[in-house]
Amino acid sequence: MLDKHGIAKRIAQELQDGWYVNLGIGIPTLVANYVPDDIAVEFQSENGILGMGNFPYEGEEDADLINAGKQTVTLKPGAVLFDSATSFAMIRGRHVQLTVLGAMEVSETGDIANWKIPGKMVKGMGGAMDLVASAENIIVAMMHTSKSGESKLLPQCSLPLTGVGCVKRIVTNLAVLEVTGEGFVLIERAPGVTVAEIEAATAGKLIVTGDIPEMNI
Amino acid sequence: MLDKHGIAKRIAQELQDGWYVNLGIGIPTLVANYVPDDIAVEFQSENGILGMGNFPYEGEEDADLINAGKQTVTLKPGAVLFDSATSFAMIRGRHVQLTVLGAMEVSETGDIANWKIPGKMVKGMGGAMDLVASAENIIVAMMHTSKSGESKLLPQCSLPLTGVGCVKRIVTNLAVLEVTGEGFVLIERAPGVTVAEIEAATAGKLIVTGDIPEMNI
Amino acid sequence: MDRIADEHRKTMNKIVNNAQEAIADIHDGMTLMLGGFGLCGIPENAIAALVKSGVKELTCISNNAGVDDFGLGLLLQQKQIKKMISSYVGENAEFERQLLNGELEVDLIPQGSLAERCRAGGAGIPAFYTPAGYGTEVGEGKEVRVFDGKPHILETALKADFAIVKAWKGDRLGNLIYKGTARNFNPPMAMAGRVTIAEVEHLVEPGELDPNYIHTPGIFVQRIFEGKDYEKRIEQRTLRTR
Amino acid sequence: MDRIADEHRKTMNKIVNNAQEAIADIHDGMTLMLGGFGLCGIPENAIAALVKSGVKELTCISNNAGVDDFGLGLLLQQKQIKKMISSYVGENAEFERQLLNGELEVDLIPQGSLAERCRAGGAGIPAFYTPAGYGTEVGEGKEVRVFDGKPHILETALKADFAIVKAWKGDRLGNLIYKGTARNFNPPMAMAGRVTIAEVEHLVEPGELDPNYIHTPGIFVQRIFEGKDYEKRIEQRTLRTR
């Protein structure tokens, strides 16, 4: 089974040379730590950065330089700053090749719910609806089940949707899955996790064809 | 009767302090020479300048600094350069208070035709359709009649339209007229021109109420 | 064009003395846009002046709602806001309390649609189609149209009685330059105010800002003043170990 | 985020050797966008390479069509253009001849709509409403909708197989800065190419361009090269007497 760093590490393997990538808050942010040295990717932060760098050293933090998670950051050489309308022009115009974000629920058909729980305080969707409606590739990074043990991979979402039919791939603590029109296709198992365990943790239709390899991370 | 410089001079009297102004090619360009010293106006050139200055001195011309008429220009202190999408955001968003442009025909209801003569080579509308559809104030600067002596102020335009019901004011070599839904309201006569002469040169409905003063230029 | 740049000619001057003067004619019930992302790039001086003015029943269009004791949170504390139009309103307990008590209305808008709707308002585009929000609550009641096989919803432009933005440098013609990610929503909102007020850290002379690198052309700005005592609070101070 | 900016990490590099290499996969029948206003800010090197390549049946989206012996006029001379999409196409006798002979199609679009349609194509906005062209030939056959009492027409986004732009400075990530009014249509078109090629007068190292003052972020650009022998012809040399 993977921890959140393991999930991030596995997602980093999906990155391709030359891609621009938007990482959501939480586990997705950790993906930045595991980019292979031999590929070039640039991180887009929707508040207006392309070429986001590391967190700053103490004393070098700048209130005028934050990422979309409101964390202080730095810029890499060749970085660019821009306004919010331009930022979402990049996103909506499909210039960002990959979006990685968390989810509360994903459906068999790629619907995603990650912004609202009825009866609870709603904080808002931020940029998530624009990102999921636009990105060519969306990878969801999440735990396979909720804290109370319920599956987050469902026949259909029970929570209000963030986007419809948009998730292409899911990486959880248990598995890598592809989202097709037919159901969740199991691609890889996390180290030490059996297909039966994944089946038990998946409420939506799981498609298992042949031998499922263990992740190589 | 006014020459083209006189028309420009009269239009300059319409300028108000604090206005941003777009001047079309031809007579309108001359308006820049007659701005009263005690009002501040800035000229917008739709190819991407705000704060356009004079023509350059010989040897100081720059191929990378032209106006919408493709003439070499200079910048005033406080000028700004921008792209074409931003430029027309200013125009369409009604941030430019006045547009002055030429016309082949204007109708009683403020329709304007100035871009196309059927059977002749069509050069295109350039920015004219955006300007006339958007500007709060549009002043047409033109000769009252064509070279062959026909009136350019008509009951309705015979040429393909550039815009509908948008012209507010017309300054010609003979008169200043306001365009209302009812017809052309005569406001001022050019020096030495009689009401009868203006009537004779106006094919559309001309409204003459009371004494019509002579222009003070 | 021989006389445009004569030296004895009057030039534009949009400078007002301070925040108080800039916001003096903002009345109860008006709609304001306020730039900023989180607490980054917010018009601190104008917000303080609004608190002091006591103006109320405001509709505030802003990506976020500040924190309890800073940014728009200060206006919330004084119950000056009737409605928030935002994309994300977390980190604010007073906000939550007012919302759950029905004292506050909230309209949540996807962040990209919010930015584009402001730009559209400023650019004279009354409406446009976007895929964001289709099939969700955001799309409910909105026209759906398919382009290239993909459903989109129609979103309309946003305008405000006053847009209030914060820039790094500006001149008396209203030309603005922002710094770092403090740019964010400020440029699209600057375009969409019937009156746009800019507060800047540094007011400079016309000509000091390079014409080629101005972010907000002065044509979009009606009033400008130099702010003071910027706190520029950091929400998440994240550091790297040496 | 401790490892993003490691020095031994591979970084992006979009540099190609020259115009010929940049345009090598532009085929007959493709749609191109070409930046520039008149002869100002046009991609001279790429146009020369297109002439040399002999590629034909092109649809060219460009505000103007050059003059007889420069700019897009060079492609017209060789009859490489099937269709022009422009706002103004005067100053070109060969253009006129081909048009009157039915050898050339022309689609004339209001300049502001042209710029906005390119931006929309790049920004993922498939269509928007504008007042420009309502009640004229341009509006014929287009959906009309009234907003705020004023009729608008629906205009759709433009995209191109290749967008070709000309900038002053650029780096290998594709970040671009333009000079003077040579900016014009280049930024909105750079956004709208499926592949965007940038030719620059000066290719510089990443970090040399201030991140705060870049006009076209590199994300919009796929190929970049340093052009040479720029003629930068002036159409109307207007001077002031001393």
Side-chain angles (χ1 to χ4, degrees):
Chain A
M1 203 181 328
L2 302 176
D3 64 0
K4 58 186 188 169
H5 292 277
I7 294 173
K9 224 170 183 171
R10 177 60 190 82
I11 289 172
Q13 293 177 4
E14 304 280 316
L15 299 175
Q16 290 184 24
D17 191 38
W19 273 9
Y20 290 90
V21 179
N22 183 293
L23 300 177
I25 295 166
I27 301 175
T29 305
L30 300 172
V31 173
N33 293 330
Y34 302 105
V35 183
D37 283 340
D38 61 343
I39 68 166
V41 299
E42 293 285 338
F43 294 106
Q44 202 254 15
S45 190
E46 66 264 28
N47 61 318
I49 312 178
L50 207 60
M52 188 169 36
N54 303 319
F55 293 137
Y57 290 117
E58 187 161 7
E60 293 175 5
E61 66 271 28
D62 179 355
D64 289 330
L65 202 55
I66 63 169
N67 65 16
K70 284 129 189 169
Q71 300 170 307
T72 45
V73 293
T74 58
L75 300 179
K76 285 169 56 183
V80 198
L81 298 159
F82 39 85
D83 66 62
S84 301
T86 306
S87 181
F88 283 91
M90 293 174 187
I91 290 167
R92 208 186 303 100
R94 301 184 146 225
H95 303 279
V96 174
Q97 278 78 25
L98 172 67
T99 287
V100 183
L101 78 177
M104 301 174 192
E105 297 178 349
V106 179
S107 83
E108 279 171 20
T109 54
D111 297 351
I112 177 171
N114 73 348
W115 77 285
K116 187 175 182 176
I117 300 174
K120 280 207 183 175
M121 167 67 189
V122 180
K123 295 191 168 186
M125 68 293 280
M129 282 193 186
D130 309 273
L131 282 159
V132 301
S134 306
E136 271 177 83
N137 297 295
I138 296 170
I139 299 180
V140 164
M142 66 177 186
M143 293 296 152
H144 212 99
T145 52
S146 69
K147 279 171 195 159
S148 56
E150 280 166 87
S151 180
K152 296 167 80 172
L153 289 81
L154 305 171
Q156 49 191 26
C157 294
S158 65
L159 297 171
L161 296 183
T162 308
V164 176
C166 49
V167 177
K168 300 284 187 297
R169 201 158 255 243
I170 306 169
V171 178
T172 75
N173 52 329
L174 303 184
V176 178
L177 307 107
E178 205 161 304
V179 184
T180 65
E182 317 293 305
F184 300 108
V185 177
L186 184 59
I187 305 289
E188 291 174 15
R189 296 171 293 113
V193 175
T194 66
V195 169
E197 284 169 320
I198 296 164
E199 272 172 344
T202 306
K205 184 176 173 191
L206 186 74
I207 299 170
V208 183
T209 312
D211 253 16
I212 305 299
E214 197 173 280
M215 291 177 199
N216 183 15
I217 57 168
Chain B
M1 200 179 334
L2 301 177
D3 63 1
K4 58 186 189 171
H5 292 278
I7 294 174
K9 225 170 182 170
R10 178 59 191 82
I11 289 174
Q13 293 176 3
E14 303 281 316
L15 300 176
Q16 290 184 23
D17 191 38
W19 273 9
Y20 290 90
V21 179
N22 183 292
L23 300 177
I25 295 166
I27 302 174
T29 306
L30 300 173
V31 173
N33 292 331
Y34 302 104
V35 183
D37 282 339
D38 61 344
I39 68 167
V41 299
E42 293 285 339
F43 294 106
Q44 202 254 16
S45 189
E46 66 264 30
N47 61 318
I49 312 177
L50 206 60
M52 189 168 38
N54 302 319
F55 294 138
Y57 291 119
E58 187 160 6
E60 293 175 6
E61 66 272 27
D62 178 355
D64 289 330
L65 201 55
I66 63 170
N67 65 15
K70 283 129 192 170
Q71 299 170 307
T72 46
V73 291
T74 58
L75 300 180
K76 284 170 55 184
V80 199
L81 299 158
F82 39 85
D83 66 62
S84 301
T86 305
S87 181
F88 283 92
M90 292 174 189
I91 291 167
R92 208 187 302 101
R94 299 181 148 230
H95 303 279
V96 174
Q97 278 79 23
L98 173 66
T99 287
V100 183
L101 77 177
M104 302 175 193
E105 296 178 349
V106 178
S107 84
E108 279 171 20
T109 54
D111 297 352
I112 176 171
N114 72 349
W115 77 284
K116 186 175 181 176
I117 301 175
K120 279 208 182 174
M121 168 65 189
V122 181
K123 294 190 169 186
M125 69 292 281
M129 283 194 185
D130 308 272
L131 282 159
V132 301
S134 306
E136 270 177 82
N137 296 296
I138 296 170
I139 299 180
V140 165
M142 65 177 189
M143 294 296 151
H144 212 99
T145 53
S146 68
K147 279 172 196 158
S148 56
E150 279 166 88
S151 179
K152 296 167 81 173
L153 288 81
L154 306 171
Q156 51 191 25
C157 295
S158 65
L159 297 172
L161 295 184
T162 308
V164 177
C166 49
V167 177
K168 300 282 186 297
R169 203 158 252 245
I170 305 169
V171 179
T172 74
N173 51 330
L174 304 183
V176 178
L177 308 105
E178 204 162 305
V179 184
T180 64
E182 316 295 301
F184 302 106
V185 177
L186 184 59
I187 306 289
E188 291 174 16
R189 296 170 294 112
V193 175
T194 66
V195 170
E197 283 168 321
I198 296 164
E199 273 172 343
T202 306
K205 184 178 174 189
L206 186 75
I207 299 171
V208 183
T209 312
D211 252 16
I212 306 299
E214 197 173 282
M215 290 178 201
N216 183 14
I217 57 168
Chain C
M1 294 201 293
D2 296 329
R3 289 194 64 246
I4 296 178
D6 281 357
E7 280 177 25
H8 54 290
R9 177 175 300 289
K10 187 179 166 190
T11 57
M12 285 197 191
N13 186 357
K14 301 175 181 175
I15 297 174
V16 294
N17 287 313
N18 51 41
Q20 218 169 320
E21 198 177 313
I23 64 132
D25 52 350
I26 295 183
H27 302 305
D28 292 356
M30 280 189 167
T31 296
L32 312 184
M33 282 183 187
L34 297 109
F37 184 96
L39 302 180
C40 182
I42 60 173
E44 296 184 17
N45 278 255
I47 291 171
L50 286 168
V51 169
K52 212 169 156 192
S53 80
V55 60
K56 55 187 193 299
E57 299 281 309
L58 296 173
T59 294
C60 291
I61 304 173
S62 183
N63 189 55
N64 312 94
V67 294
D68 275 326
D69 63 344
F70 203 58
L72 288 185
L74 300 171
L75 285 169
L76 284 165
Q77 268 183 9
Q78 305 298 319
K79 301 199 177 132
Q80 294 175 266
I81 302 179
K82 182 184 66 177
K83 183 177 180 180
M84 282 296 313
I85 298 177
S86 303
S87 88
Y88 190 82
V89 291
E91 0 304 351
N92 197 316
E94 174 62 17
F95 184 98
E96 187 163 349
R97 199 198 57 71
Q98 290 185 21
L99 184 62
L100 296 176
N101 279 3
E103 296 169 28
L104 185 67
E105 291 170 61
V106 179
D107 192 357
L108 291 167
I109 296 180
Q111 193 173 141
S113 297
L114 180 60
E116 189 69 12
R117 289 175 70 184
C118 293
R119 180 192 177 274
I125 303 288
F128 59 89
Y129 291 92
T130 174
Y134 166 75
T136 75
E137 284 180 15
V138 166
E140 276 170 27
K142 289 179 182 157
E143 182 191 316
V144 174
R145 192 179 293 200
V146 175
F147 293 94
D148 253 345
K150 192 173 167 176
H152 291 71
I153 59 176
L154 184 68
E155 292 281 8
T156 53
L158 287 171
K159 304 246 330 158
D161 295 311
F162 284 82
I164 308 178
V165 302
K166 152 71 171 49
W168 180 37
K169 291 181 181 176
D171 64 26
R172 65 183 147 85
L173 288 93
N175 295 314
L176 305 177
I177 286 178
Y178 308 90
K179 181 166 161 277
T181 56
R183 196 181 321 178
N184 56 62
F185 277 84
N186 285 298
M189 286 183 172
M191 297 169 71
R194 288 190 189 85
V195 175
T196 293
I197 297 169
E199 60 171 87
V200 299
E201 290 179 57
H202 307 282
L203 197 55
V204 303
E205 285 302 308
E208 282 188 52
L209 304 178
D210 187 326
N212 206 27
Y213 303 121
I214 287 167
H215 297 133
T216 291
I219 193 170
F220 296 122
V221 175
Q222 280 69 48
R223 298 175 196 171
I224 187 166
F225 67 93
E226 189 171 279
K228 54 183 184 186
D229 303 330
Y230 282 101
E231 178 178 339
K232 298 216 243 178
R233 197 184 291 188
I234 291 176
E235 274 183 89
Q236 306 278 342
R237 188 177 308 268
T238 47
L239 299 172
R240 183 182 193 201
T241 48
R242 278 184 203 267
Chain D
M1 295 201 292
D2 297 328
R3 291 194 62 246
I4 295 177
D6 282 356
E7 281 179 21
H8 54 288
R9 178 175 301 290
K10 186 179 166 189
T11 57
M12 285 197 191
N13 186 356
K14 301 174 181 176
I15 297 173
V16 295
N17 287 313
N18 50 42
Q20 216 169 323
E21 199 177 313
I23 64 131
D25 52 351
I26 295 183
H27 302 307
D28 291 357
M30 280 189 168
T31 296
L32 312 185
M33 282 183 187
L34 297 110
F37 183 97
L39 301 179
C40 181
I42 61 173
E44 297 186 15
N45 279 254
I47 291 172
L50 286 168
V51 169
K52 211 170 156 190
S53 79
V55 60
K56 55 187 193 300
E57 300 281 310
L58 297 172
T59 294
C60 291
I61 305 173
S62 183
N63 188 56
N64 311 94
V67 294
D68 275 327
D69 62 344
F70 203 57
L72 289 184
L74 299 171
L75 286 169
L76 284 165
Q77 269 184 7
Q78 305 298 320
K79 302 196 178 135
Q80 293 175 266
I81 301 179
K82 183 184 66 178
K83 182 177 183 178
M84 281 297 312
I85 299 177
S86 303
S87 89
Y88 191 82
V89 293
E91 3 302 349
N92 196 317
E94 174 62 16
F95 184 99
E96 187 163 349
R97 198 198 58 72
Q98 290 184 21
L99 184 62
L100 296 176
N101 278 3
E103 295 167 27
L104 184 66
E105 290 170 62
V106 179
D107 193 356
L108 291 168
I109 296 179
Q111 194 174 140
S113 297
L114 180 61
E116 189 68 14
R117 290 175 69 183
C118 293
R119 180 192 177 273
I125 302 288
F128 59 89
Y129 291 92
T130 175
Y134 167 75
T136 75
E137 285 181 12
V138 166
E140 277 171 23
K142 288 178 183 157
E143 183 189 317
V144 174
R145 191 177 295 200
V146 175
F147 294 93
D148 254 345
K150 193 173 167 177
H152 292 72
I153 60 175
L154 184 68
E155 291 282 7
T156 54
L158 287 170
K159 304 247 328 159
D161 295 312
F162 284 81
I164 307 177
V165 301
K166 153 72 171 51
W168 180 38
K169 292 181 180 176
D171 65 25
R172 65 183 147 84
L173 288 92
N175 295 313
L176 304 177
I177 287 177
Y178 307 91
K179 180 166 161 278
T181 56
R183 197 182 320 178
N184 56 61
F185 277 85
N186 285 298
M189 287 184 172
M191 296 169 72
R194 289 191 189 85
V195 175
T196 293
I197 298 169
E199 60 172 88
V200 298
E201 289 180 56
H202 306 283
L203 197 54
V204 303
E205 285 302 307
E208 282 188 52
L209 305 178
D210 187 325
N212 206 26
Y213 303 121
I214 287 168
H215 298 132
T216 291
I219 194 170
F220 296 122
V221 175
Q222 281 68 49
R223 298 175 196 170
I224 188 167
F225 67 94
E226 188 172 281
K228 53 184 185 186
D229 303 331
Y230 282 102
E231 179 178 337
K232 298 216 245 179
R233 197 184 290 188
I234 292 175
E235 275 183 88
Q236 306 278 342
R237 189 177 307 268
T238 46
L239 299 171
R240 181 182 196 202
T241 48
R242 282 188 200 266

